[in-house]
Amino acid sequence: MSDGSEMSASRRAVRTRFLAVDTSNVADALDERGLPHQGLRSDIGPLSGERLAGWAYTIEGESVAYSGSGDPAKMRACGEIGQDEVSVWAGGGEGICYFGELIALGMAERGCVGALLDAGARDVRWLREHGFPVFARYRTPIQSIGRWRVTGWQRPVRLPGATSRWVPVRPGDFVLADADGALIVPAEEVEPVLTRAEELTEVEARIRTALGEGSTLAECLERFGHV
């Protein structure tokens, strides 16, 4: 297996493991690692799909009026995304969509596994039909052409935070989102955070089993510790 194939397989294996843990346990693991401000603002939530997990592929833009029928930079950015990556969109748009069905299908062809947007999306019905996960700040039918354009991609961006004003997102960081919300795991923290989240997940499963067998919550917490 080539080095590129080995790296791809490793990234996919990590993504599969993340899909089996909840954001709550990942957030607790981040706290333990001294990273308390990795959660995104609570109004960034699911428009389609229940879980979002993948390596960050960042796209940034700006609100500006312009003429023409398209955004060539946006098309180039979308065309370079890779396997097991999540497109992360930043740029402060209001009332418009950055993302819809056709972009989702084009990215999915390249192995993209979802989108995270600090703005809006449209074609929600069809995104759900295709099973393509999108977490966004709002939904809107208003397109971005002539109103917002891409200025760069695969460079550090920032998204609004839950406990801080901004959360930095770099290419290659990890994105995880579920019904509780969304967070960013820095690339260098992925393995220790994931390992700890898996441990917390296992403890929770043991507590549920013990409760089902008749133990009290107090007995479980004394036996397994607080989670």
Side-chain angles (χ1 to χ4, degrees):
M1 184 182 290
S2 68
D3 290 345
S5 297
E6 289 175 355
M7 181 176 293
S8 178
S10 175
R11 282 161 62 94
R12 181 159 296 175
V14 167
R15 177 174 177 267
T16 298
R17 290 167 61 194
F18 264 113
L19 284 168
V21 297
D22 294 332
T23 55
S24 56
N25 285 329
V26 174
D28 290 352
L30 286 164
D31 279 347
E32 291 180 5
R33 300 283 298 176
L35 295 165
H37 302 300
Q38 298 304 121
L40 301 185
R41 207 168 74 180
S42 61
D43 57 354
I44 296 177
L47 296 186
S48 59
E50 297 181 355
R51 297 184 62 81
L52 177 65
W55 304 90
Y57 178 95
T58 62
I59 302 174
E60 189 172 27
E62 63 178 357
S63 294
V64 60
Y66 61 94
S67 60
S69 59
D71 184 350
K74 187 176 186 179
M75 294 302 98
R76 291 197 299 273
C78 292
E80 294 180 11
I81 199 166
Q83 292 284 332
D84 298 299
E85 292 183 327
V86 169
S87 61
V88 177
W89 299 73
E94 295 295 338
I96 59 163
C97 78
Y98 293 177
F99 193 88
E101 178 195 14
L102 297 184
I103 291 178
L105 292 177
M107 287 186 150
E109 288 176 352
R110 299 186 56 81
C112 171
V113 290
L116 177 70
L117 300 96
D118 179 23
R122 69 179 188 178
D123 304 324
V124 174
R125 169 192 170 188
W126 296 108
L127 292 170
R128 291 172 176 170
E129 290 273 353
H130 297 304
F132 189 90
V134 176
F135 279 62
R137 200 154 38 86
Y138 56 85
R139 67 192 74 194
T140 175
I142 308 301
Q143 68 176 345
S144 63
I145 293 174
R147 302 179 176 96
W148 183 91
R149 65 185 176 191
V150 167
T151 56
W153 57 97
Q154 284 299 77
R155 64 192 189 192
V157 299
R158 60 184 189 175
L159 299 183
T163 58
S164 61
R165 184 175 181 185
W166 300 108
V167 177
V169 187
R170 302 164 301 171
D173 288 344
F174 200 89
V175 177
L176 184 68
D178 59 19
D180 288 336
L183 47 76
I184 307 297
V185 181
E188 65 274 14
E189 294 287 339
V190 162
E191 187 56 43
V193 166
L194 177 55
T195 298
R196 181 57 177 150
E198 289 172 331
E199 292 171 354
L200 292 172
T201 299
E202 183 176 350
V203 171
E204 284 187 345
R206 291 176 178 174
I207 290 174
R208 292 189 192 101
T209 298
L211 288 171
E213 292 172 348
S215 296
T216 67
L217 179 58
E219 290 170 341
C220 289
L221 294 180
E222 183 177 355
R223 177 181 175 189
F224 298 105
H226 288 266
V227 292

